[in-house]
Amino acid sequence: MSDLLSQLKAVTTVVVDSGDLGAIEQFRPVDATTNPSLLLNASQLDFARPMLSAAISYAKAHASGKSAILELACDKFAVDVGTAISKLVPGRVSTEVDARLSFDTEATVAKALQLVELYQQNGVGTERILIKVASTWEGIQAARQLEQQGIQCNLTLLFHMAQARACAEAGAYLISPFVGRILDWYKANTKQDYSAETDPGVLSVRDIYHFYKEHGYPTVVMGASFRNTGEVLALAGCDRLTISPGLLDELSKQTGTLDVKLVDGGAKTAKPTALSEGEFRWQLNEDAMATEKLAEGIRKFAVDQRKLEQLIAGQL
């Protein structure tokens, strides 16, 4: 009997959530995702130190003024790590726009175009990358513009159906609903324990998956932010799942028969009228978990972005 990871790969595209080249090489996923926190962690690894030094040298040669050099060095480092990852995976690498731009559509578009240009300088085309953007209203509208330019996006920090709907209606290529962070909120606020089948994060992704398939939205659903293998297995059959190296290792050592939980039954229902900005904001506001976790996620990514900048500033 094959291990559960091998069985999962047969029904779901497995993506690794890491900036660690060693882990990516070990598990050989189809795609890989990074974020500011993972890049900060990667900056401490042996493989990345020369990349960080090279990114600083590049920024000094192509930008003037400390803030501009810091910004370009961070972008160049993210792209160079992504470029290295692209040589290990056959699919796409997700690189995230600075979280501090989450409420500025035009600045998000401009940053995405800069990242694409840096990738192109490294010989990596748009067909190999996804630009990660927070699922704020402004971020979703930025994704709409980018998708129209042929730059495909991964809408992250997604905690609510209103976000999922708006992303699909904007033509986003992929969404990353966060499973574990939803569970975190409910455990902290209800003081209850949850099984994989009652896990609010799992149920949220299942609802989004069924909504997309029933209404014929092509946007890819990629569950993210897992706390345990039970959550992962409870979403077997989802389009994609991005999983940390630690959980991938656990799954590779587990045996048994995988129970497929999600199956695309085909489009059966006409798409609803697109959400307005007011409807989106109200529905998100009505959900304390989604509102709090979106804001917290943006803040945490911004904190790690600043830490990376401080690390670079110490080497200027």
Side-chain angles (χ1 to χ4, degrees):
M1 185 178 295
S2 64
D3 62 87
L4 290 179
L5 179 57
S6 297
Q7 293 178 63
L8 182 64
K9 285 182 174 181
V11 298
T12 289
T13 298
V14 170
V15 179
V16 68
D17 197 24
S18 177
D20 182 347
L21 296 187
I24 293 166
E25 195 162 18
Q26 177 184 354
F27 294 107
R28 291 292 175 176
V30 174
D31 294 347
T33 52
T34 64
N35 62 44
S37 303
L38 294 175
L39 287 172
L40 178 63
N41 292 337
S43 71
Q44 305 303 309
L45 301 176
D46 289 342
F47 84 86
R49 290 195 181 101
M51 291 185 189
L52 192 61
S53 296
I56 293 169
S57 297
Y58 178 92
K60 285 180 176 178
H62 292 85
S64 58
K66 184 175 181 180
S67 62
I69 291 172
L70 281 176
E71 181 180 351
L72 182 55
C74 286
D75 290 345
K76 178 64 172 168
F77 177 62
V79 167
D80 285 353
V81 171
T83 299
I85 292 172
S86 74
K87 296 173 182 177
L88 299 177
V89 300
R92 296 169 180 265
V93 178
S94 289
T95 298
E96 193 151 345
V97 167
D98 189 331
R100 292 168 293 188
L101 304 179
S102 296
F103 302 103
D104 188 330
T105 296
E106 297 311 315
T108 295
V109 171
K111 176 60 68 180
L113 294 175
Q114 291 169 6
L115 293 172
V116 167
E117 170 62 24
L118 288 171
Y119 267 113
Q120 289 176 338
Q121 290 176 18
N122 284 356
V124 180
T126 54
E127 75 283 356
R128 296 296 314 282
I129 61 176
L130 293 176
I131 298 298
K132 281 181 80 174
V133 180
S135 298
T136 57
W137 179 259
E138 295 82 0
I140 294 168
Q141 302 319 305
R144 184 192 299 275
Q145 293 183 32
L146 291 166
E147 294 281 353
Q148 290 170 353
Q149 296 180 49
I151 297 167
Q152 294 183 312
C153 298
N154 170 353
L155 275 294
T156 189
L157 293 173
L158 195 147
F159 303 96
H160 194 272
M161 180 64 81
Q163 292 173 289
R165 275 190 61 184
C167 289
E169 290 160 359
Y173 176 78
L174 179 148
I175 62 168
S176 294
F178 277 31
V179 180
R181 294 196 196 185
I182 294 178
L183 175 65
D184 294 345
W185 189 92
Y186 277 94
K187 287 178 72 173
N189 285 273
T190 68
K191 310 304 181 186
Q192 295 180 23
D193 290 322
Y194 296 89
S195 69
E197 287 301 313
T198 62
D199 185 313
V202 168
L203 298 179
S204 176
V205 176
R206 287 181 180 178
D207 286 345
I208 291 167
Y209 177 91
H210 290 306
F211 180 84
Y212 275 16
K213 304 312 178 189
E214 180 181 341
H215 293 90
Y217 291 108
T219 299
V220 175
V221 180
M222 182 173 72
S225 169
F226 293 102
R227 295 293 177 258
N228 54 68
T229 57
E231 288 182 323
V232 175
L233 298 174
L235 291 173
C238 193
D239 299 329
R240 302 186 193 190
L241 298 174
T242 185
I243 308 167
S244 68
L247 293 181
L248 288 171
D249 186 56
E250 287 185 41
L251 288 167
S252 72
K253 296 173 181 175
Q254 294 177 10
T255 57
T257 302
L258 181 72
D259 184 10
V260 178
K261 299 292 186 178
L262 294 174
V263 177
D264 183 356
K268 303 180 182 68
T269 308
K271 294 179 176 66
T273 303
L275 287 174
S276 67
E277 179 179 351
E279 290 169 332
F280 170 91
R281 293 192 186 281
W282 179 251
Q283 290 182 26
L284 196 60
N285 183 73
E286 283 289 274
D287 189 313
M289 176 279 297
T291 299
E292 292 170 20
K293 281 297 176 183
L294 174 59
E296 177 189 68
I298 291 170
R299 286 195 302 270
K300 286 185 173 180
F301 281 156
V303 166
D304 284 343
Q305 184 75 25
R306 285 191 288 268
K307 287 180 180 177
L308 183 59
E309 288 174 352
Q310 290 166 2
L311 179 67
I312 290 171
Q315 300 182 40
L316 292 180

